[in-house]
Amino acid sequence: MANKEALRELQTRLAARMQVARNEPAAHAWLAVECAGHGLLLPLEQAGEIFNAGRILPVPHTRSWFAGVANLRGGLHGVVDLAVFLGLRARGAHEHGAEGARLVALNPSLGVNSALLVDRLAGLRHQNDLAERADETSQRPGFAGVRWLDKAGRPWQEIKLAALAADMQFLAIAA
């Protein structure tokens, strides 16, 4: 009898939680990364697996930000040095094998076999922990999302990976 009552209470609590979740707007979550000292936020639903920045084979006649190709779980992925692509540092100013460097694969649903080389992972960030930063009038690319500030006052720039994967500059790797 006690088990039936406990089950009924559990079901009641779950139903109440689900109702609250339906009524609240969904909070966004991001994978926080650092590139050349800048904080970037990658939407979790658009990011794929994370890998050590192991062996990246260079490809001749490509843009400076195209680091090369890497075999990730048996699939060939183009690797983009995100800091160089965004103009945060010059090519060669970073060693791919540097401690903390990681490859963040794009979600396969985006249809691009690509991974982003980042300097360091900085954990997860949730919308509830950030405040939207007043936008400046500077021109930004379409893949640049909202600018945020964390509770410590550090700025974070959202990078919309779906928009990045469709960006013509990102797709044009030939030099």
Side-chain angles (χ1 to χ4, degrees):
M1 190 70 148
N3 286 341
K4 285 184 180 182
E5 288 178 31
L7 181 59
R8 194 171 296 126
E9 287 178 31
L10 175 63
Q11 288 174 330
T12 304
R13 284 195 315 264
L14 285 175
R17 284 185 187 172
M18 289 177 68
Q19 186 61 37
V20 168
R22 278 189 212 111
N23 294 334
E24 287 182 2
H28 294 292
W30 296 274
L31 174 64
V33 300
E34 290 183 5
C35 290
H38 291 79
L40 303 173
L41 300 172
L42 309 177
L44 278 179
E45 68 275 3
Q46 297 172 9
E49 286 188 75
I50 300 168
F51 300 90
N52 285 327
R55 188 163 182 208
I56 300 171
L57 300 172
V59 177
H61 310 295
T62 58
R63 302 219 183 236
S64 62
W65 44 263
F66 191 76
V69 295
N71 180 348
L72 304 178
R73 292 209 188 275
L76 193 60
H77 286 66
V79 177
V80 172
D81 186 328
L82 189 56
V84 177
F85 179 79
L86 296 174
L88 302 175
R89 96 169 138 242
R91 182 179 184 162
H94 178 265
E95 284 293 318
H96 300 315
E99 189 170 331
R102 297 286 186 264
L103 296 177
V104 179
L106 299 185
N107 191 301
S109 68
L110 300 179
V112 179
N113 280 358
S114 185
L116 304 174
L117 176 65
V118 299
D119 296 346
R120 186 176 89 75
L121 298 178
L124 298 176
R125 298 293 184 274
H126 300 277
Q127 187 173 1
N128 301 339
D129 301 326
L130 301 168
E132 193 168 337
R133 186 175 161 184
D135 200 8
E136 298 142 15
T137 57
S138 65
Q139 198 69 326
R140 296 181 306 156
F143 57 80
V146 176
R147 293 179 182 173
W148 300 92
L149 286 175
D150 65 16
K151 291 178 181 176
R154 181 175 182 186
W156 293 90
Q157 173 64 57
E158 178 185 11
I159 302 294
K160 297 186 244 175
L161 296 179
L164 181 66
D167 185 79
M168 291 311 295
Q169 181 183 353
F170 182 81
L171 297 172
I173 64 168

